[in-house]
Amino acid sequence: MKIARSENDRLIKVLNNSELIGENRENYLSVKIFTIDNGTGSAGFESSEVSHNLLIAVSEFDEEPNQSLFEIGPFYNPKFVKWTNEKEYEKEFEIEYGIYSNRKTIKLKININELKMAK
């Protein structure tokens, strides 16, 4: 048995500070959506609030699955809304973000090779 301490600062931050906000493990793809904060003051407000990026992990179901990780942002106060469309090898979902009085919604599509905005 080997025990090693990771020196990967980005990985350490992600694993200690991310929050799972959405997950879908149906059909041929597993998709997990995490938020990671961008640090104090990153939202650009005087109150030192933070913005977040989304980390979206996608994996096929297989003994040796293809896997990808996508990062998109920054968003202020992002929230997962719902899964809107599911195909065998592609999933679509909505994220809501912004200040309380002016929330916006973005629809994203993901497959094993790409993350893109849906129309």
Side-chain angles (χ1 to χ4, degrees):
M1 178 185 329
K2 178 181 176 186
I3 297 175
R5 181 180 177 153
S6 176
E7 298 301 325
N8 183 328
D9 291 340
R10 175 78 171 147
L11 184 60
I12 293 167
K13 180 181 178 190
V14 166
L15 292 176
N16 279 295
N17 297 303
S18 63
E19 177 185 351
L20 181 67
I21 62 168
E23 182 174 18
N24 185 314
R25 299 181 57 108
E26 297 174 13
N27 298 326
Y28 296 92
L29 289 179
S30 168
V31 178
K32 294 179 182 178
I33 306 167
F34 299 89
T35 61
I36 180 78
D37 78 69
N38 292 317
T40 302
S42 61
F45 301 122
E46 291 181 16
S47 58
S48 300
E49 293 178 87
V50 300
S51 66
H52 293 81
N53 280 6
L54 299 179
L55 297 173
I56 305 164
V58 59
S59 177
E60 294 177 336
F61 291 113
D62 195 29
E63 273 187 40
E64 294 183 27
N66 289 319
Q67 297 180 320
S68 296
L69 178 66
F70 301 94
E71 185 168 359
I72 184 172
F75 295 99
Y76 178 69
N77 195 23
K79 303 286 182 214
F80 173 82
V81 178
K82 64 183 174 182
W83 299 101
T84 56
N85 194 1
E86 294 181 48
K87 297 178 182 170
E88 284 185 3
Y89 293 100
E90 182 177 76
K91 297 185 191 282
E92 187 177 278
F93 57 95
E94 290 181 0
I95 298 292
E96 185 181 82
Y97 65 96
I99 60 173
Y100 178 74
S101 61
N102 188 23
R103 300 288 284 170
K104 296 178 180 154
T105 302
I106 185 173
K107 191 178 285 189
L108 298 166
K109 282 185 182 183
I110 192 164
N111 62 45
I112 199 67
N113 296 311
E114 69 178 342
L115 172 69
K116 61 185 177 182
M117 287 195 240
K119 296 178 179 171

